[in-house]
Structure formats: C-alpha cells, structure tokens
Amino acid sequence: KFETMRTAGVLQSFAITVPEFHTMYSIDCPTPELGSWHLYSGGKVLLRVGLNGQEWSSPLEVTFLAAPSLVSVVGLSVLPRADSGENAAPPSASWGRAPSDMSLALTGQRLVEWPDALCELRPREAFSPVAVVPATVLTDTDRSCAVPPELQHLKPEDLNVRLLAPDGFTAFEPDEGGVPIFPEPVAHSSNTVSEGTPQIFNVFPDWAWHTGGTVVQVHGANLPTELTNHRGEDAVHCDFGVAGVVKAISTSPERVECAAPPVTVAMEVKVSVLLGAPFKLHLSHADAEFRYFHRFHLAQITPSLGTASGGTDVTLTLTTQKLPSTNFEIDCAFGLNRVRATLIQVAAIASGFRSYTVRCQTPAAVNIPRLTAAGCMCKKNWFLPNGSRCDSFCCNLDPHSQDQGCYVNDPQCQGADWGYCDSPYESIAVGSYPVCVRVMPSSAASVSEFEPCQHKFMYITSPRADTVYPRSGPIDGGTNVTVHGAFFPRTRMGLLCRFHSYISPARWLNNKAVACVSPAAHLGELTGPMTVSVTVSANGGADWAASSARFTYTPTLEASLSPDFGPQHGGTVLEVHVPRRFGDADDIEDYRVEACCFGIPATVLVPAVQLAEGHYQCTTPPWPRAPAVVSVGVVEADGRCQPLPRALFSFVEKWRITRMYPTEVSEQQLGNLELLVSGENFRSYKDALCRFGDADGLVSDAVVLESGDSLLCRVPSGLSLVDVPRGKTIEISVAINGVDFFRGDPPMLLRISPGFVVATASPSHVYVTGQVPVTIHGSNFGSDLRVCIFGEGDSHVQVQLAALSSEREAVCLAPPWTFTHANASMERVLVRLAPDSIGNALPSTAHITYVAIPEVQVLEPREGPVEGGTRIRVVGQHFRPSAPAGVEELPAHAPLRCVFGSRESPAIVLSDTELTCTAPPVESTYRTSGTLAAFAVRLVPAHAPPTDDYTTATPGQKQQITFYYRRFVCSFSQVEPLSGPEFGETLVSLRSDYPLLNSKLLKCVFGDVAVDMFLVSSYEATCMSPAYYKPGVVELTLTTDGQNRMHIGPSGSPLHFTYYLTPTVSQA
C-alpha cells in the first residue's frame, strides 16, 4: 500500500530463520498506474505490506523520482575536419552531406535524476528495427545518443526518440511515437556551428525595470520566421530564467522580440530562446545576459530647457527603492546621449522607498534627428507592443488649422515625442530640439526607449543679447527695458534678465526681443553712473546668453509730485519734477516725455506739458475708486510708461467745509486773527490753503489740526474796508492739497466789520482770588463777542463773557490769577474781548492789576471775652503791598477789615506786615458758653470775595488762624487780705462763686500792674501783690485778655487793696 493506493503484491520467495522461527519474505509490489496518483511526479511516500488487506507492516519510506521529459532533439552530423584531395568523401544521399558519424543532441527536463537513462530510436516506417542506445551525459539538461549504423540511412524527420528507464522497458514519454527530431544542423569536429543552424548572439536592451513589460530583442541567426508551427501552436518563446518563460511577440531570421516578465527583486538572468511546441530546441549564448533593476520614477526635472551646446546643470528628482549609498552610479540620458549623475540629496518617502535628487550636466545636442523627409523633427524610435514603429510617421500639418504642431494618424503613436516643424508662421518653434530625459543605472549597456516619455528636455539654439533700450535708468530700478537679440524662445521655464548680478523676470515679445524691468542695484548713491552687462536666460538662470548689451545705472532721480493727492473726480493740476543729478553724460539718454501715466499695469495716460528742464505738468484723470494710491510715471518716446522712483499719487474723496468760526471779524483783526474751519476728508499737508473771495481772492496758508477735521488759516490783512466803510462779506474756500479749492455747502461767509475798540477796565485792582465783576469799556462791540481774555501768551486765562451791556460796555468775572513771579505781590494784566478764542481777540488797551491776598501769620492775643473789645495785633504780609514800576498803587479807599467768624471790625494797617483791630462782641446766643471764631482779613467792599466763601481763613493762608471768645462770670464771695506792705508779695486769696477760667490770660490787676493768677481749685485762686513803693489805695481788678478789666467787688462794685508802710522793729 503506497500511502492509500493499493496494489497486488507477488510473493517471490521466503525463508525460515532458526532458532527464532521467523520467516523472511520477498515480495514484488508494483507502483500505481501512471496518472492515477498525483505523487507520481516525484516525492517521498510511505510503503506498507499487508496480508489479506488487514494487517499492515511498519512503514518504509520510498522516494519516487519525477520522470524526465524531452524538450528538443537535434540530429547532428559530425563531420571530420576539412580535408582535400584523396581524403575528401562524397556527399551522402540521405543527409545531403558527406559521410559522418551520426548522433542526437537531446535537451530535456529532470534528466539529472536519471543518469543511466537510455535512448530509444524508433523509425516511423513500418517493420523497421527499433534501436536502444545509452544516453551520454553532457550537462544537467543535455544528453547525447549515437545513431547506430543500421539507422543512419534514414532522414532525421523519419525518426522519433524517447527516453527509457535503465531497465530498457519503461518509457518516460507517454507518446509511443516519441519526440520528432528537428531538421538537422551540422556540427563540425571543431565544435562550431555552421550556417543554417539556429543560434542567438545577444539581447537589446540588456536591462529593464523590475516591473517588466520591456520589449527585449534577442539577436541571432537562422531564427524562425513564424511565431507558430503548422498546427497553429505558439512555437517561439523567450526564457528569462527564474523570471519565467514568455511568448515572443515578433520573430524574424535575425531577431526575436519578447516582453520581459516582471520580477519582485533586482537580479541578473540568462535569456534564451525556446523553439517548438512543446519546446524542442533551446538556444542560449554566454553574452545573452539580462539585468533587472528597481524601477526609477522620474518625478521632476529642472530646468527643462537649455542650449544646444550643452553644459546646462539639470536637477532631477527620482523615486525608487533604497539603493546602496556606497555604489550610487546613475546616468542621465538626454535622448541617446548619456552623462553621469551626481547625487545631491536622499530623502525617505515610504517604507523601503527613497527620493533621490541628482544633478546632471546636459551633453551637447548630437545624434538628434532634426529634419525628416517631411521637413519635420520626429522621434527616432518608438516601439509598440505589436512590434511596429512610430518613426514611420511624422508631422501631419493640418492646412486648415492655425496650430503648427504635429499629430499622427495612428492613435497608438500618440505620446511619442514628436518635435516641431519649421514654419514661417510660428517663429517660436524655430531652433528647438526636444529629447526625452530618462534615468538609468550606469551599468546599463544602452539607452532603451521602451516606454512613453514622461519628461522632456528642449535643446534650443543659444540666445544672443545685442542691445537694450533705454540704455540707462535709476539705481532704484523700475525702468522698463527691452533687450534686443536673437533666438529668444517662448518658454514657461523662467525667462529672466540679469543686470550685472541682479536678476528680474522677463516677458517674451518675439524671438528677437524680451522686456524686463531693471532691478534695484545696491551700488551706492554717490558712485555716479555705472554701466553693467545685460543678458537673458530662458531656463530660470541655468544658462545665460552671450551678450554685448550694456545698461547704465544712474543715481536715484528723486522724482517728486506736487501735490501728491487730489480728489477722486480728477482735474488736479499735477507738477512732476524729475531733476538730473549727474549732468549730460554721453551714455545717459534725455527723456522725451510726452504724457503722464497713472497706475500699473493698467495705465491711464494724460498729456504732459514741459515747463522747464525736468519739470512737467499734467492733469490727473478721474479714478474709479477712492481712496487709492497709484504710481505715477512718464511716457517716453517708445510709448511705454516708465514709473518714477517713489512717485505715488493718492486719489481721495473730495473734502468739504461744514462750518467756520468766527463768522465775523473786525478790521483791526485782519492779519492777526485765525479762522477755525471744520469739515470732512481733511488731511495734513504742508501746502494747504484758504482762499478769501472768488478765484482771484487772497489766499493764506492753512494748518490742518491733529484731529483731521479742522484747520486754522489766518485772515489776510489785505482785506481792507477802504472802499466799503460799513464792512463786507466774502466766501471762504479751502484747498487741502494747495491746488483744488472747494467751497462750503452751504457757502461759508465771513463778515468783516469796522474796527472794535477796547479802551479801559474797572475796577483797576483785583485780588488774585478773582471772582470780581470787571467792566470793559470801548466801542463797536459786536454781538459775536463771547469770551474775555485776561493776560497774554501761554499764561492767558479765558472766561465767558458775563454780559454785553451795549456796544460800548461788556462785563466779565475776573478769574483767579497766578503771578508770573513767585515773590510778586502785584501784576498788571491785559484784558481783551474775542468772539471765540485768543486767536481772534480784539485789540485792547484795557488793563487791571491783580493784588496778592493778605496773609495772616501771627494773631495776639488769640482769645478774649465774649463781650469783645479785645485789641488784636495781626502780623503777616501783603497788608499794604507796594506797586512795582509802571503799576498803579492800591487805592486808599480799599480798606481792610478783620473777620472774626461772621463778625467784622475795621483794621488799622500799620505797615505791609502789621495791622491792628478790635474784637467785636459775640451775639448773645454765644455769650453763655463762649465760641471759637476763624480769623481772616479781607478787602472792603467790592474787591473781596463773598463772605460765605471765606468764613474760616484768608485765601492763600498757610495755616488756620482762630480767635477764642471766652465767657467769664465775675462773682467772688471772698477776697482777702485786702492790704499789704508797699514792697508787695502779699498773697491774696480769691474765692469765686463760679468756676474760674483756666487761662494764662486771666490775671489780677493791682492798679495798673497785672500779675499772674494761680488756680488752687476750680473755685479758688491766688495772686501775689506787686511792689508799689508808696502807701496808698489801688483798685484790685481782673483781666481776661490783658486789656479789659472787671470789678470783683460785691455785685460788680470796685474792690480796693491798701498798701501800707512796712513796720520797722528797731529793738525788742
């Protein structure tokens, strides 16, 4: 039993072994029939032996070898070396050649496992003998069998061959007829193959991408002319080793073409040709080697255009699987010309894949088919899967089309790298040579054009720059320059101009001219004119054209516009100044300005009028939007707009006047008064103007305020009232840009009236605290007067007019004043009237004098009885200030008064620093308890501030000054003794009915001598009698302020103290 397949065994012999009584059997077990078991193709199986199909022995491992099969059989006639004369043999009738030893060359599969196989030669004719001969081993796949003499009379096609097992009976080929022999080639004893023998020499191309699909040509000789045999079976194949066997797509006696099969890894294989169906002949050659490479995907090429002389540095980006960095050898192919690539950068883009950036220098444009018989440039070779070529087609110009490109009739040829036709109607194509750019391993033997071209490189005739116009321009750049030359291509690869080392984009005009704008050159402002070369590049700066063109940089022209803004509706008269800084150099052209241009690139042209050298005048056009800033240039003789350096004009919305103040001025104010004009769309500009009157009226400079909606302009003095003594009215208009005057809506009218006169002001003196009505006297006071102005310059104070009594009298409330000098006590101040502010103040001769406020520093005594009468001494300053030179003295009718809270008493001024006054009695309400009163000094009557405002202190007082009213009830029940010696020192005790004052001002007065009183308790005090030096009676009184005396006798009657002579004891 072979695995599960059973066969009937045959017992051959047995023997009994002694003494174990075991029996040894010999059994023949036939293998299963061919084709009934899948393992018969080769492998190991388990064999068991059983009796009656029930008991099975332990398994044995049996190896089955796969049966060999023949691929091809070739009959060879082995000839002796070429001889002459008598040794020459006559030709054979049967083989058509000289007599020879006959042998068969067998090529098959799995022959190596059967080294002892036999060849069975079976003639096709009936009753012919069958010969079995040994098969001589030549290689693992080749055997040789000698043809016995009894069969050499037969032709090769009359024999069939098959392999037999070593037993001579088992045939490996199921076909009883065997394998037919291929028509005979003839082999020489020198082991060379004669003419007529199928053979191969090499392959082209010898490499391909691992993705397969490359059409490979196997070159040889005597190859089949048909792809199929007489039965219609495919009989020509290409064997790519481990890559696989593929059918040929075309064949000829010299070439077999096959599409390379795909593989998964890079490798090198042998390529051979297999003939027959099934394969009967295997053709190979040592030079038929083929390499698989990981596919390179060319992603980008920069630039894609260069000169036909070569030398353009081209950067290519390709992606493929990771390549060995130590052996990076890549070629760039430009058409059929190859150059070595230099690795620039490697970047990882995916697992196992890399992006490689390489650089190649283009070779010269050689071996490029230019003109064909049809007068067009076509691709040299373009192979299609069916073996046909596209190079048999060329440009088929459509006579009804404007395009001069190429097309082909065969849609399969679309995508071929067709060139351009020379045509007088399409000058941009003249001189262009497109080639395909590919990247391949350096080890590849040839350039293979087996797939559509993804990237092209255009060879062009080298451009040439001859001249430029204009030949000069400012160093800041911006000059529109035309470069004239030849062979300028129209390309999107980056047409550039280069001025020295400064580069700017270029625009193609025709094949003889390009336009560009001169770039800024950092050559310095004081270098003077500098001439540089100008050249052109058609491929983004990779190659630069030969040039004889020169351009001169001149220092910045510093062009200026006046004004640099105007209303959107246009009409602004614009002056353009283009000064020359470096004389009349030979290489600097004079500008012939014909017009001014506004805006880039869409320009608006207006005529220009030349006023002087470099000085032009234009009128601005209307502009579609505002605000808008546009460049301004000049149009030269070539008709192009040349922008001027830093020349920008702003279109703005029209400005408008909405109000004005004042609306009336006096004749005296002309030349000195500034009008405040308010409106919309104002902007700061140094040349802003106000116009007084119509188009011929007087103008004056205007200053736009920071707020942006108001301006000040001075009323010109030339607006005289000589011809109109009663006054006149004029209209005001404003030109914010100094050119375009716009009126108000409604019109702003200014009334000019006869002159105002401000003569005097009263009172003449006012304390610095102000708040005193001042009456201003004059004439022609108008109803527009609104303010009074005290002082001049930055120190002026402006207050509202209190009343306009008549055209001759106005009243203002004097404001508080601060002296200009810190130590001043009086200052003379100018008083004026104005409609709104000091800028419009009327001329005036009126003045008032501000006087410093009296300041109290010391008050003594600071207390007294509620009954008043205490004489107060006040020490301070500014009681009687002296006037400086040119200032009127303080009037004598302006006395001071002392203020005790709400009570006053006249003051007697002794000097500027001292005065006296008497404390007035307090009201009966406060007499029962006493009160504290704030002390101040004020001017009487109208110069002082209202009493209610200064009830606690004098304005400007540095400290609070108070006076205390004390209540003292004088009622003593006992005073003793009432006499004492004339030398004094008698202690007098006083007992009061009411609590005594605790004040140092409470004193006993003996006659006219006051002495201190000492409190013993709240109701008892003592005082010491002073010396009197003569006996007599004096009145004993009390004083509470050092001035006023009170009787202390019963019921307020006088009380007397008697001084007597001190007794003298002479002897006791």
Side-chain angles (χ1 to χ4, degrees):
K1 183 172 67 175
F2 298 86
E3 295 291 346
T4 62
M5 302 297 295
R6 299 185 184 184
T7 60
V10 177
L11 178 63
Q12 297 293 338
S13 65
F14 66 92
I16 299 175
T17 61
V18 180
E20 291 83 357
F21 302 103
H22 284 182
T23 301
M24 178 177 291
Y25 296 89
S26 176
I27 302 173
D28 286 342
C29 294
T31 60
E33 293 181 1
L34 178 65
S36 64
W37 191 25
H38 68 281
L39 289 177
Y40 189 66
S41 60
K44 294 181 179 181
V45 299
L46 297 179
L47 171 62
R48 293 177 174 85
V49 177
L51 297 177
N52 300 321
Q54 296 179 0
E55 297 180 3
W56 298 98
S57 66
S58 58
L60 297 175
E61 188 177 79
V62 180
T63 301
F64 282 87
L65 299 178
S69 63
L70 291 179
V71 176
S72 64
V73 181
V74 178
L76 301 175
S77 297
V78 182
L79 301 176
R81 292 185 179 275
D83 292 328
S84 61
E86 299 177 354
N87 296 328
S92 168
S94 60
W95 287 88
R97 301 182 185 276
S100 60
D101 295 333
M102 301 296 295
S103 66
L104 300 177
L106 291 78
T107 301
Q109 298 177 350
R110 298 180 294 277
L111 298 180
V112 68
E113 300 176 358
W114 300 92
D116 299 329
L118 301 176
C119 292
E120 179 190 67
L121 306 179
R122 183 182 297 274
R124 294 185 179 181
E125 61 184 15
F127 308 109
S128 296
V130 175
V132 177
V133 296
T136 303
V137 176
L138 299 179
T139 65
D140 291 344
T141 59
D142 298 301
R143 298 288 186 272
S144 175
C145 297
V147 179
E150 62 269 22
L151 297 180
Q152 290 190 9
H153 68 282
L154 299 174
K155 295 180 179 180
E157 56 267 27
D158 294 334
L159 286 174
N160 284 347
V161 180
R162 66 175 181 172
L163 288 179
L164 300 179
D167 59 6
F169 298 100
T170 304
F172 293 128
E173 295 291 339
D175 187 358
E176 294 293 335
V179 178
I181 301 175
F182 196 80
E184 76 172 332
V186 179
H188 295 270
S189 58
S190 60
N191 295 326
T192 61
V193 181
S194 66
E195 295 183 1
T197 303
Q199 53 189 318
I200 64 172
F201 305 135
N202 55 50
V203 296
F204 176 86
D206 63 347
W207 68 278
W209 304 126
H210 74 287
T211 53
T214 301
V215 178
V216 179
Q217 303 173 5
V218 183
H219 297 274
N222 304 319
L223 298 173
T225 59
E226 299 292 337
L227 293 175
T228 60
N229 59 16
H230 63 280
R231 294 189 297 270
E233 299 172 328
D234 294 323
V236 183
H237 294 75
C238 294
D239 186 356
F240 286 82
V242 297
V245 178
V246 295
K247 294 187 298 182
I249 58 176
S250 68
T251 182
S252 66
E254 296 83 19
R255 182 179 70 191
V256 173
E257 293 184 348
C258 298
V263 296
T264 57
V265 296
M267 63 175 65
E268 183 175 335
V269 298
K270 292 283 189 177
V271 178
S272 57
V273 174
L274 305 178
L275 303 179
F279 308 142
K280 305 302 182 182
L281 183 61
H282 182 273
L283 306 179
S284 63
H285 195 279
D287 294 335
E289 294 182 346
F290 190 81
R291 298 177 180 85
Y292 279 103
F293 295 100
H294 287 299
R295 182 177 183 85
F296 297 166
H297 175 70
L298 184 58
Q300 183 179 5
I301 171 174
T302 305
S304 61
L305 181 146
T307 60
S309 59
T312 303
D313 286 331
V314 177
T315 301
L316 304 97
T317 302
L318 57 98
T319 58
T320 183
Q321 292 184 345
K322 183 178 181 182
L323 300 176
S325 59
T326 58
N327 189 25
F328 186 90
E329 296 182 354
I330 298 295
D331 284 358
C332 299
F334 294 83
L336 299 177
N337 302 317
R338 295 170 60 173
V339 291
R340 183 59 59 87
T342 302
L343 179 63
I344 303 300
Q345 183 181 3
V346 180
I349 58 176
S351 177
F353 285 83
R354 299 289 187 272
S355 171
Y356 294 87
T357 302
V358 300
R359 180 173 296 160
C360 300
Q361 193 173 77
T362 60
V366 296
N367 298 326
I368 300 177
R370 175 55 177 155
L371 296 178
T372 65
C376 299
M377 177 181 62
C378 296
K379 188 169 176 55
K380 183 177 181 182
N381 291 308
W382 183 258
F383 299 103
L384 298 177
N386 62 4
S388 63
R389 299 187 183 185
C390 283
D391 59 357
S392 60
F393 300 92
C394 191
C395 296
N396 297 301
L397 298 180
D398 183 357
H400 303 291
S401 173
Q402 297 296 327
D403 299 330
Q404 298 298 319
C406 301
Y407 71 95
V408 292
N409 291 325
D410 187 351
Q412 297 184 91
C413 291
Q414 295 292 346
D417 191 9
W418 305 104
Y420 296 98
C421 295
D422 291 327
S423 169
Y425 307 105
E426 188 60 51
S427 59
I428 65 171
V430 176
S432 60
Y433 304 78
V435 296
C436 187
V437 180
R438 293 182 170 89
V439 181
M440 64 189 65
S442 299
S443 58
S446 60
V447 178
S448 176
E449 300 176 299
F450 58 85
E451 60 183 5
C453 184
Q454 301 297 327
H455 293 276
K456 293 185 293 184
F457 183 84
M458 182 74 73
Y459 279 109
I460 60 172
T461 303
S462 298
R464 183 184 75 246
D466 298 330
T467 60
V468 299
Y469 179 83
R471 292 181 288 113
S472 63
I475 196 173
D476 285 346
T479 303
N480 288 319
V481 176
T482 301
V483 182
H484 299 276
F487 308 117
F488 294 139
R490 188 174 188 176
T491 174
R492 296 179 180 178
M493 283 305 300
L495 199 61
L496 301 175
C497 291
R498 184 177 69 185
F499 294 70
H500 188 258
S501 58
Y502 306 102
I503 298 174
S504 67
R507 180 170 55 88
W508 186 87
L509 302 178
N510 53 58
N511 65 340
K512 295 183 179 180
V514 297
C516 49
V517 179
S518 64
H522 306 288
L523 303 177
E525 278 291 315
L526 301 178
T527 59
M530 180 171 292
T531 301
V532 299
S533 64
V534 180
T535 183
V536 175
S537 172
N539 56 4
D543 300 306
W544 295 98
S547 175
S548 60
R550 297 293 183 268
F551 181 83
T552 300
Y553 276 108
T554 62
T556 304
L557 299 179
E558 296 293 344
S560 62
L561 306 178
S562 179
D564 60 2
F565 69 98
Q568 178 185 1
H569 59 72
T572 301
V573 178
L574 181 67
E575 293 189 4
V576 182
H577 300 267
V578 188
R580 297 292 182 181
R581 293 177 53 183
F582 283 88
D584 298 326
D586 294 338
D587 55 353
I588 302 178
E589 301 172 352
D590 292 332
Y591 280 86
R592 297 188 301 276
V593 175
E594 299 179 353
C596 294
C597 49
F598 293 78
I600 293 178
T603 58
V604 178
L605 304 183
V606 295
V609 178
Q610 184 172 7
L611 303 180
E613 176 68 24
H615 188 187
Y616 307 93
Q617 190 176 78
C618 307
T619 301
T620 62
W623 205 253
R625 64 185 184 278
V629 179
V630 300
S631 63
V632 179
V634 292
V635 178
E636 303 171 9
D638 63 354
R640 290 181 299 154
C641 177
Q642 174 61 53
L644 296 175
R646 295 187 287 272
L648 299 176
F649 186 85
S650 298
F651 285 95
V652 299
E653 295 182 4
K654 174 184 174 181
W655 47 89
R656 185 170 67 91
I657 304 175
T658 57
R659 58 184 180 276
M660 177 183 65
Y661 189 81
T663 57
E664 184 176 356
V665 298
S666 66
E667 187 177 12
Q668 287 83 356
Q669 293 175 299
L670 298 179
N672 299 314
L673 178 67
E674 288 186 337
L675 289 180
L676 177 64
V677 181
S678 300
E680 299 174 351
N681 303 322
F682 287 2
R683 59 187 296 171
S684 179
Y685 188 63
K686 59 183 179 60
D687 294 329
L689 296 175
C690 291
R691 185 173 66 191
F692 296 79
D694 53 18
D696 297 329
L698 299 179
V699 297
S700 66
D701 294 337
V703 178
V704 179
L705 303 182
E706 292 185 2
S707 61
D709 58 359
S710 301
L711 60 81
L712 293 174
C713 54
R714 190 173 298 276
V715 181
S717 58
L719 300 174
S720 174
L721 297 181
V722 175
D723 299 332
V724 282
R726 293 183 176 274
K728 64 181 178 179
T729 300
I730 57 176
E731 185 178 1
I732 307 299
S733 57
V734 172
I736 299 299
N737 63 356
V739 175
D740 301 302
F741 286 93
F742 293 110
R743 305 163 57 188
D745 185 17
M748 295 293 109
L749 302 178
L750 177 66
R751 174 67 181 174
I752 303 176
S753 304
F756 297 104
V757 176
V758 178
T760 60
S762 62
S764 60
H765 290 73
V766 177
Y767 277 104
V768 292
T769 53
Q771 307 303 316
V772 175
V774 175
T775 301
I776 301 172
H777 307 276
S779 61
N780 298 323
F781 289 173
S783 59
D784 62 335
L785 295 179
R786 295 291 185 273
V787 296
C788 299
I789 301 170
F790 292 77
E792 301 174 80
D794 295 337
S795 60
H796 78 277
V797 178
Q798 180 175 301
V799 297
Q800 291 295 321
L801 184 69
L804 182 61
S805 304
S806 66
E807 66 174 6
R808 295 178 176 274
E809 187 174 277
V811 178
C812 299
L813 195 64
W817 189 258
T818 301
F819 290 131
T820 305
H821 301 287
N823 297 326
S825 58
M826 299 181 70
E827 185 174 349
R828 192 166 183 257
V829 174
L830 176 66
V831 180
R832 290 173 290 177
L833 299 178
D836 49 9
S837 65
I838 190 173
N840 301 323
L842 306 181
S844 174
T845 58
H847 292 80
I848 64 171
T849 300
Y850 275 100
V851 181
I853 291 294
E855 180 182 349
V856 178
Q857 298 173 343
V858 178
L859 182 68
E860 56 181 26
R862 300 187 65 172
E863 62 180 45
V866 295
E867 293 79 9
T870 303
R871 184 175 297 277
I872 306 299
R873 176 173 175 265
V874 182
V875 178
Q877 60 180 353
H878 307 316
F879 296 150
R880 185 181 294 168
S882 57
V887 178
E888 184 180 356
E889 291 285 350
L890 188 67
H893 62 271
L896 294 176
R897 295 182 66 86
C898 294
V899 180
F900 295 82
S902 59
R903 297 160 295 280
E904 299 181 6
S905 65
I908 299 175
V909 179
L910 303 179
S911 66
D912 185 52
T913 60
E914 186 177 359
L915 60 81
T916 63
C917 56
T918 301
V922 299
E923 293 82 353
S924 58
T925 305
Y926 300 103
R927 291 191 178 186
T928 58
S929 59
T931 185
L932 188 64
F935 181 82
V937 176
R938 72 176 181 86
L939 189 65
V940 177
H943 299 78
T947 301
D948 293 343
D949 292 346
Y950 299 94
T951 58
T952 58
T954 300
Q957 192 72 39
K958 293 183 176 58
Q959 60 180 348
Q960 180 76 24
I961 303 296
T962 58
F963 183 82
Y964 186 64
Y965 281 98
R966 292 187 178 274
R967 177 178 179 275
F968 180 70
V969 179
C970 187
S971 175
F972 292 90
S973 59
Q974 179 181 352
V975 179
E976 61 180 12
L978 293 176
S979 62
E982 73 275 15
F983 297 110
E985 298 185 0
T986 300
L987 184 63
V988 178
S989 176
L990 296 87
R991 181 174 298 275
S992 175
D993 296 329
Y994 298 92
L996 295 173
L997 291 175
N998 183 12
S999 172
K1000 64 179 181 178
L1001 295 180
L1002 184 61
K1003 296 180 180 295
C1004 295
V1005 181
F1006 291 81
D1008 295 326
V1009 180
V1011 296
D1012 294 332
M1013 176 180 287
F1014 302 95
L1015 294 179
V1016 177
S1017 66
S1018 298
Y1019 295 91
E1020 184 176 0
T1022 61
C1023 53
M1024 190 73 70
S1025 63
Y1028 200 70
Y1029 301 112
K1030 67 176 181 180
V1033 176
V1034 297
E1035 186 177 5
L1036 177 59
T1037 59
L1038 294 180
T1039 181
T1040 58
D1041 56 7
Q1043 301 176 12
N1044 299 300
R1045 301 177 185 181
M1046 294 177 289
H1047 297 289
I1048 61 175
S1051 301
S1053 59
L1055 186 65
H1056 296 86
F1057 183 84
T1058 302
Y1059 281 95
Y1060 54 81
L1061 292 174
T1062 303
T1064 300
V1065 179
S1066 61
Q1067 185 176 1

